[in-house]
Each structure stands twice: as structure tokens, then as C-alpha cells.
Amino acid sequence: SITNTKHLPKFVPLKSLWQTLQPRLIRFLNNMNLEELREYCLFLPYVTEDMPFGEDVLVFRICNRIFVLTNLESVPLRVSLKCDPERAIELREQYPDKIVAGYHLNKKHWNTVLLEGLPLTLIDEMIIDSYMLVVEKIPKKERESLDLDILLGK
């Protein structure tokens, strides 16, 4: 039998380890960083990015129309997304500390969103909704030439 245990490594009980790691893991899973945002937006058909408002504001466009803006200096990451006016109000009421009326934008049609801590499914939904709202406003001929009407179910 071992009587001197000073040289043996100390093991953390699994439950204690999980209690320590769980909040960090959940935070990691619920956060989208700037590079993930870029990858996600650029994966959507015909999306481009540029910096028309200076080198600290990144913009994502579909057919030269903005659907996402983010300030590169913003920590934690915030994005502005186009939103249906009724849905915009719902989201602001549901997440008052995370979603507010668009910063320096038309408050009726834009939300500024603090991504930290929001469910990825909600972030995904808001980005896609913003993209689709802009696609709907693209002139029919341009949409048809790019086969974007398929996205609208037309």
C-alpha cells in the first residue's frame, strides 16, 4: 500500500471538472467570432464584402445591397442586421440586453445585435432573414439572371 501520496498527481473529480468547464464550453458554443461571421456570410450566394465607411466597418452585400455591417473594433462582436419591423420589435423585447434598434441606421428596419451569448440558431436565423429581405428587394430581372428567385420559392 502507498502511504506517502505527496508525489502522486491530484485528480479533479469529474463532476467538479464539468462544473468548471461547462460555462466556458457553453460560452464557446454560443459565440460567433469575426472570422466565423465572415465565413458564414461569404458562404451565402453572391455575397461580397467591403469597407465603404472606413477601415473599421466591414460590410456584407448581396448585389451591392448591404445586409450585414460590423465594426471591427467592437469587442464583444456586434453586428447590424436588416429585420422585418414587427420581428425587430419582438427580438428587442425578448433580448433587451443583446438586441437594440440599429445603431446609426433606420431603427425600424435594422437591429444591432451583441452576438455574445445568443443561441447560434438565432444568429443564423437573423443573418438569413437579413439576407432574404435584401434579396426580395433586388429587381426581378437581376434576381432571375442570378437564379435568386429559387431562394424566394419562385
Side-chain angles (χ1 to χ4, degrees):
S1 89
I2 301 175
T3 54
N4 184 357
T5 60
K6 287 182 185 176
H7 67 284
L8 294 175
K10 292 186 178 179
F11 290 98
V12 178
L14 191 55
K15 182 176 180 182
S16 174
L17 181 63
W18 175 248
Q19 288 171 338
T20 303
L21 291 178
Q22 184 184 22
R24 291 181 188 157
L25 179 61
I26 289 170
R27 184 166 181 249
F28 171 77
L29 291 174
N30 283 347
N31 286 333
M32 178 179 275
N33 65 35
L34 180 60
E35 200 50 43
E36 290 167 330
L37 175 69
R38 280 189 74 240
E39 276 182 38
Y40 188 89
C41 290
L42 292 172
F43 181 76
L44 297 169
Y46 303 105
V47 170
T48 58
E49 64 180 335
D50 66 301
M51 301 173 107
F53 307 117
E55 52 188 58
D56 59 340
V57 178
L58 180 62
V59 167
F60 295 93
R61 301 174 187 254
I62 170 72
C63 296
N64 208 31
R65 291 163 179 82
I66 297 172
F67 73 99
V68 176
L69 298 100
T70 188
N71 185 319
L72 299 175
E73 304 298 318
S74 177
V75 177
L77 183 62
R78 295 176 197 277
V79 298
S80 292
L81 302 164
K82 198 160 182 84
C83 194
D84 170 77
E86 289 179 20
R87 180 73 173 135
I89 292 167
E90 275 178 35
L91 289 167
R92 292 174 202 160
E93 289 173 354
Q94 193 172 357
Y95 301 95
D97 56 333
K98 303 277 185 196
I99 301 175
V100 296
Y103 182 70
H104 288 302
L105 297 163
N106 182 327
K107 312 262 184 257
K108 182 178 179 181
H109 295 281
W110 288 86
N111 278 338
T112 296
V113 180
L114 174 64
L115 296 182
E116 185 176 76
L118 284 177
L120 284 175
T121 53
L122 178 61
I123 295 169
D124 173 68
E125 172 198 321
M126 291 187 294
I127 292 171
I128 295 295
D129 285 350
S130 182
Y131 177 84
M132 294 303 293
L133 284 167
V134 173
V135 166
E136 288 173 358
K137 298 295 182 186
I138 296 169
K140 186 176 180 176
K141 281 187 177 186
E142 190 176 359
R143 273 196 332 258
E144 287 174 347
S145 73
L146 299 172
D147 284 332
L148 289 172
D149 276 346
I150 293 170
L151 297 175
L152 301 174
K154 296 181 179 181

